[in-house]
Amino acid sequence: MSDRYLSFVNSAWGRRLAQAIGLPQPLPLQRHRSGQAGLANPVIVAGAGRLVAPVQRLFSATDTVSATPATVKAPSTLKVQGAVFDASGMTDLPQLDALYEFFHANARRLAQHARVVVLGTAPEHCAGLPQAIVQRALEGLVRSLAKELRRAITVQLIYVAPGAEDALDSSLRFFLSRRSAYVSGQVVRLEPPVDGAVAVNWDKPFAGRRALVTGASRGIGLAIAQVLARDGAHVVCVDVPQAEASLQQAAASVGGSALPLDITAVDAAAQLQAHVSQHGAFDVVVHNAGITRDKTIAKMSETAWRSVLAVNLEAPLHLSTALLDSHGLNPGGRIVCVSSISGIAGNLGQSNYATSKAGVIGLVQGLAARAAARQVTVNAVAPGFIETQMTAHIPLMIREAGRRMNSLSQGGQPIDVAETIAWLAHPASGAVNGQVVRVCGQSLLGA
Amino acid sequence: MSDRYLSFVNSAWGRRLAQAIGLPQPLPLQRHRSGQAGLANPVIVAGAGRLVAPVQRLFSATDTVSATPATVKAPSTLKVQGAVFDASGMTDLPQLDALYEFFHANARRLAQHARVVVLGTAPEHCAGLPQAIVQRALEGLVRSLAKELRRAITVQLIYVAPGAEDALDSSLRFFLSRRSAYVSGQVVRLEPPVDGAVAVNWDKPFAGRRALVTGASRGIGLAIAQVLARDGAHVVCVDVPQAEASLQQAAASVGGSALPLDITAVDAAAQLQAHVSQHGAFDVVVHNAGITRDKTIAKMSETAWRSVLAVNLEAPLHLSTALLDSHGLNPGGRIVCVSSISGIAGNLGQSNYATSKAGVIGLVQGLAARAAARQVTVNAVAPGFIETQMTAHIPLMIREAGRRMNSLSQGGQPIDVAETIAWLAHPASGAVNGQVVRVCGQSLLGA
């Protein structure tokens, strides 16, 4: 759970030693705290497209530095906390040069921990071939910048479909704030929102809303419950009956309620529906519960295969469809699943886990349209190396490799996963549906 | 160009030392040689779906070991050179258990260098949600097996759309042979072919066909020209006029012709069209020419940005569309582009290169439908670490990391890229369109 190298290398002696012998020098990430202003400030807003106006609406006039031709090509030395480049209007290849000009001139102007967002139009929504090529090319630029800017700077690409222009706020507030400290090199697609506009309380977005979190008694699940509760939700904490003591404690600590439940039980959906009948439908359902049973497939027992599939994949499928079909989720509801970089890239000794977590991606993508018809979204996070009790038990050298092999050269914290889930679960995130967003510091494992 | 570690670790002393101190022990890959039987033999054919019959048609009866329940659960000790599992018929989650049973029982039966292919139905072609989930889950299994089976075994997933069942041969012959030695962990989609069935000469598939290869005077381009010529093509070798001496030599060595041409010249398309008018249309066009000009974006010159985009992206776009629109490609034609893992995952110091190579992915995906209307396919390979003069100049430690950070623990050879291109360019590969296939030994960089 504690990354001693990160502390060491940020001490006076450690810094000097690391510089001398060329060791990685990760900066401790700055994370969001209650009461802080959320948005990076000031930010440069550049580019020319249909998204400049909605971006500028988000900031007060004093928060932005517009990128006049002068600041594009000959920047001032004033450091900025972030940059937003609207590339959505680019339709032909030579226009890509504007991105070079902007980042060439401004890369050094970005402060430590700066947030960079490039906005585009997804290739599948482009009219012409050159436009589709230009928009797809943005991925290569963004992923390269995320690798080379260093200094805890993050870079993302958000593709905004026509009709989603006014549904940008929750995503920009996430990616331009400290809430997304461990998310980098990601590509997210926004579509016209599945639900209507809502009046949003940006400090307590979940006020008056009910959230269900499975596996909530410890680790990442507890962090999710804490963040949703911090932001106003009443959280129903679920864990297996054997964990009831710590579950009760967790629920009490977030002012929520405890629901001991084996999510793989044949009557699990019925138990949830009974809970809904008594207490009301949910606004947010987070399928966080998951297990690992690692072995190479030749040595893996059938039980190890079966149990991982049952907990990680079958339960989220059955509970999601049961809740959707029985109106257990309110309109404006959000389902968030937890996948994994193993589900994206595969992993040695995790054929069961990777199969289940790849299946979760199939679940999210396959259920999105059906959920949208009920004004519900369904998305997934895919964590990379997160500092938990689980990863603390990994042998030292493998743990160190897992920790450092990402663009931020450190592991994430459970709260990084929780903040990302809170963004996907946000009442104003109706434009985000069927997406898989990695929380991995741009891990080398998978693009 | 030479991997001394690979030789050392496969010597008697080297093997003992590597075992003792736990170093990676890559096996030298076995590559295809002219005159060899192409297909792995014997292979186990297992699973139950619409693809078992077309798979078995490919093999003679003595080449296959059918997976009876007995061989699934209690295998003989006979080693097999390959395995094909047809999972295309799986429609519900518990059916995934059959994959566990098969690979649990047979993983140790696979010989060194064995080829494994799982066949499925792409999620976008699935009727129900559970089916889509199961089919998507296959990716996690395949990518994990590719990482854990070791011993130079490769594992791929081929999604076969309804209507593409009879167009499997060229892909199976590639993935079940030594031609695909450095390709692993890949997911390929086959659609109903863009062109009609052709009588195929499997020994000389390109006999009577004309191929254009850019950047053909050395390195990967020369290897592409050699493989296409070996397989019967007349190759028109293109390179910049400054390289004319080596270009003439390369063309002569493959019995082809030399066409000195700056592909970024304003009249490049016109020159090609003039060539076509004189000598006839092409059947295969390989956009191999590419340059790097690495720097972080803050230090990168505008020329470095522009020239990389012009050569790597703008030229392939202009020449492809010009040839397509002027009937410079025959029906049944093939366009193959060269992307890169940098275009997928981004790379430090390669924002120009990664932008161009991500754009190539956009080109391939965006042009596929338009090309299909002319019975032409357009695909890309994305090489990982390939042993060339270029990579020989990378500093030692970075080169070693690049070489070892993949499931085969070694770099690929130019011929590995060339064989993959020859499969995509194959007259019988009309079912492969809009695909990006990595030749990277399942590099850690990107899934």
Side-chain angles (χ1 to χ4, degrees):
Chain A
M1 310 256 272
S2 92
D3 182 343
R4 289 188 191 166
Y5 179 76
L6 183 63
S7 316
F8 168 73
V9 84
N10 284 285
S11 67
W13 281 102
R15 193 172 298 125
R16 215 176 296 173
L17 180 68
Q19 272 169 358
I21 64 176
L23 293 174
Q25 295 181 269
L27 278 181
L29 302 185
Q30 293 182 348
R31 294 181 168 88
H32 180 74
R33 287 181 208 159
S34 293
Q36 281 181 334
L39 277 172
N41 171 3
V43 300
I44 320 180
V45 180
R50 61 199 160 83
L51 302 169
V52 171
V55 169
Q56 280 176 332
R57 263 205 306 279
L58 186 65
F59 294 94
S60 68
T62 54
D63 286 354
T64 64
V65 180
S66 61
T68 59
T71 62
V72 165
K73 294 204 176 171
S76 82
T77 52
L78 172 75
K79 292 278 184 186
V80 293
Q81 301 297 322
V84 182
F85 192 104
D86 179 9
S88 67
M90 292 184 176
T91 54
D92 206 357
L93 276 61
Q95 292 174 310
L96 283 170
D97 295 357
L99 283 157
Y100 162 75
E101 285 174 15
F102 177 75
F103 285 107
H104 176 65
N106 290 292
R108 292 196 176 115
R109 238 181 126 182
L110 296 166
Q112 288 183 351
H113 309 282
R115 299 282 168 262
V116 178
V117 170
V118 174
L119 299 169
T121 302
E124 61 270 24
H125 291 303
C126 289
L129 177 62
Q131 185 188 10
I133 292 172
V134 166
Q135 295 296 326
R136 182 62 180 75
L138 298 176
E139 269 203 41
L141 178 75
V142 162
R143 292 191 200 271
S144 296
L145 293 178
K147 287 188 175 174
E148 75 178 43
L149 291 178
R150 310 237 165 210
R151 297 181 291 134
I153 296 169
T154 62
V155 189
Q156 334 283 344
L157 172 59
I158 308 181
Y159 284 128
V160 183
E165 293 84 356
D166 294 327
L168 259 173
D169 281 18
S170 72
S171 299
L172 286 177
R173 283 174 188 265
F174 175 66
F175 285 117
L176 293 173
S177 76
R178 294 179 177 179
R179 296 172 201 265
S180 57
Y182 197 61
V183 181
S184 195
Q186 293 304 294
V187 180
V188 175
R189 283 166 158 79
L190 305 191
E191 297 285 330
V194 304
D195 44 25
V198 285
V200 180
N201 173 344
W202 292 104
D203 287 327
K204 297 277 180 195
F206 299 109
R209 290 177 186 248
R210 293 172 57 77
L212 178 82
V213 179
T214 67
S217 67
R218 66 190 182 107
I220 294 174
L222 178 56
I224 297 165
Q226 287 166 340
V227 165
L228 295 177
R230 177 199 73 188
D231 292 351
H234 177 88
V235 183
V236 179
C237 299
V238 167
D239 217 314
V240 287
Q242 304 92 291
E244 188 165 354
S246 52
L247 178 66
Q248 293 290 357
Q249 207 175 1
S253 76
V254 301
S257 30
L259 176 60
L261 175 69
D262 175 357
I263 57 169
T264 66
V266 283
D267 67 342
Q271 286 192 56
L272 263 191
Q273 283 158 341
H275 182 93
V276 166
S277 306
Q278 205 178 340
H279 301 281
F282 294 106
D283 302 285
V284 175
V285 172
V286 182
H287 295 294
N288 162 73
I291 60 172
T292 56
R293 297 286 181 273
D294 297 358
K295 286 272 186 224
T296 57
I297 201 155
K299 294 182 183 165
M300 186 181 289
S301 71
E302 187 155 4
T303 313
W305 171 271
R306 274 268 87 240
S307 58
V308 166
L309 268 289
V311 174
N312 297 3
L313 180 56
E314 291 170 13
L317 168 62
H318 294 147
L319 299 184
S320 296
T321 52
L323 284 170
L324 271 177
D325 293 345
S326 67
H327 301 279
L329 272 152
N330 289 318
R334 308 282 180 250
I335 299 171
V336 186
C337 297
V338 177
S339 180
S340 162
I341 54 170
S342 282
I344 296 171
N347 200 8
L348 190 158
Q350 294 201 314
S351 57
N352 50 357
Y353 187 74
T355 302
S356 74
K357 294 300 192 180
V360 165
I361 296 174
L363 168 58
V364 157
Q365 294 174 338
L367 189 57
R370 193 162 134 192
R374 298 190 185 276
Q375 302 187 48
V376 171
T377 65
V378 50
N379 295 285
V381 293
F385 186 96
I386 305 295
E387 306 279 355
T388 62
Q389 282 179 5
M390 206 161 84
T391 52
H393 288 109
I394 297 173
L396 176 70
M397 290 309 288
I398 298 177
R399 189 171 71 228
E400 266 305 294
R403 264 184 183 149
R404 304 294 160 222
M405 282 171 61
N406 59 70
S407 296
L408 300 167
S409 297
Q410 59 194 288
Q413 297 292 336
I415 195 167
D416 297 321
V417 179
E419 296 279 15
T420 309
I421 289 175
W423 156 58
L424 294 169
H426 199 285
S429 292
V432 192
N433 193 19
Q435 301 295 297
V436 180
V437 181
R438 299 171 56 152
V439 185
C440 66
Q442 196 184 30
S443 166
L444 284 190
L445 299 174
Chain B
M1 310 257 271
S2 93
D3 182 344
R4 290 186 192 168
Y5 179 78
L6 183 62
S7 315
F8 168 72
V9 84
N10 283 286
S11 67
W13 281 102
R15 192 173 299 125
R16 215 177 295 173
L17 180 68
Q19 273 169 359
I21 62 175
L23 293 174
Q25 295 181 269
L27 280 180
L29 302 185
Q30 294 182 347
R31 294 180 167 89
H32 180 75
R33 287 181 209 159
S34 292
Q36 281 182 334
L39 276 172
N41 171 4
V43 300
I44 320 179
V45 179
R50 61 199 160 85
L51 302 170
V52 170
V55 169
Q56 281 177 332
R57 263 204 308 277
L58 186 64
F59 294 94
S60 70
T62 54
D63 285 354
T64 65
V65 179
S66 61
T68 59
T71 63
V72 167
K73 294 204 175 169
S76 83
T77 51
L78 173 76
K79 293 279 184 185
V80 293
Q81 301 297 321
V84 182
F85 192 105
D86 179 8
S88 67
M90 292 186 176
T91 54
D92 206 358
L93 277 60
Q95 292 174 310
L96 283 170
D97 296 358
L99 283 157
Y100 161 76
E101 286 173 15
F102 177 75
F103 285 107
H104 175 66
N106 291 291
R108 290 195 177 114
R109 236 181 128 181
L110 296 166
Q112 290 184 350
H113 309 281
R115 299 282 168 262
V116 178
V117 170
V118 175
L119 299 169
T121 302
E124 61 271 22
H125 291 303
C126 290
L129 178 61
Q131 186 188 10
I133 292 172
V134 165
Q135 296 296 327
R136 182 62 179 76
L138 298 177
E139 268 203 41
L141 178 75
V142 162
R143 293 191 200 270
S144 295
L145 293 179
K147 286 188 175 174
E148 76 179 40
L149 291 177
R150 310 235 165 213
R151 298 181 291 134
I153 296 168
T154 62
V155 190
Q156 336 283 343
L157 172 58
I158 307 181
Y159 285 127
V160 183
E165 293 84 358
D166 294 327
L168 259 172
D169 281 18
S170 73
S171 299
L172 286 177
R173 283 174 188 263
F174 175 67
F175 285 117
L176 292 172
S177 76
R178 294 179 176 178
R179 296 172 200 264
S180 57
Y182 197 60
V183 181
S184 194
Q186 293 305 293
V187 180
V188 175
R189 284 166 158 79
L190 304 191
E191 298 284 331
V194 303
D195 43 27
V198 283
V200 180
N201 173 345
W202 291 104
D203 286 327
K204 296 277 179 194
F206 298 109
R209 291 178 186 247
R210 294 173 56 79
L212 178 82
V213 179
T214 67
S217 68
R218 64 187 183 111
I220 294 174
L222 178 56
I224 297 165
Q226 287 166 339
V227 166
L228 294 178
R230 176 199 73 189
D231 292 352
H234 177 87
V235 183
V236 178
C237 299
V238 168
D239 217 314
V240 287
Q242 304 92 293
E244 188 165 353
S246 52
L247 178 66
Q248 293 289 358
Q249 205 175 5
S253 76
V254 300
S257 31
L259 176 61
L261 175 69
D262 175 358
I263 57 170
T264 65
V266 283
D267 66 342
Q271 287 191 54
L272 264 191
Q273 283 158 341
H275 182 93
V276 166
S277 307
Q278 204 177 343
H279 301 281
F282 293 106
D283 302 286
V284 175
V285 172
V286 182
H287 296 293
N288 163 73
I291 60 171
T292 56
R293 296 287 182 273
D294 297 357
K295 286 272 185 223
T296 57
I297 201 156
K299 294 182 183 164
M300 185 183 288
S301 70
E302 187 156 5
T303 312
W305 171 271
R306 273 270 85 239
S307 59
V308 166
L309 268 288
V311 175
N312 298 2
L313 180 56
E314 291 169 14
L317 168 61
H318 294 148
L319 299 183
S320 296
T321 52
L323 284 171
L324 272 177
D325 293 346
S326 66
H327 301 280
L329 272 151
N330 289 318
R334 309 281 180 250
I335 299 171
V336 185
C337 298
V338 177
S339 179
S340 162
I341 55 171
S342 281
I344 295 171
N347 200 9
L348 190 157
Q350 293 200 315
S351 56
N352 50 356
Y353 188 73
T355 302
S356 74
K357 294 300 191 179
V360 166
I361 297 174
L363 167 58
V364 158
Q365 294 174 338
L367 188 57
R370 193 161 133 192
R374 299 190 185 277
Q375 301 187 50
V376 171
T377 64
V378 50
N379 294 284
V381 293
F385 186 97
I386 305 296
E387 306 278 355
T388 61
Q389 283 180 4
M390 205 162 84
T391 52
H393 288 110
I394 297 173
L396 176 70
M397 291 307 290
I398 298 177
R399 188 171 72 227
E400 266 305 294
R403 265 183 183 149
R404 304 296 161 220
M405 282 172 59
N406 59 71
S407 296
L408 299 168
S409 298
Q410 61 195 285
Q413 296 291 337
I415 194 166
D416 297 320
V417 179
E419 296 279 15
T420 308
I421 288 174
W423 156 57
L424 294 169
H426 199 284
S429 292
V432 192
N433 193 19
Q435 302 294 297
V436 180
V437 181
R438 299 171 56 150
V439 185
C440 67
Q442 197 183 31
S443 167
L444 285 189
L445 298 174

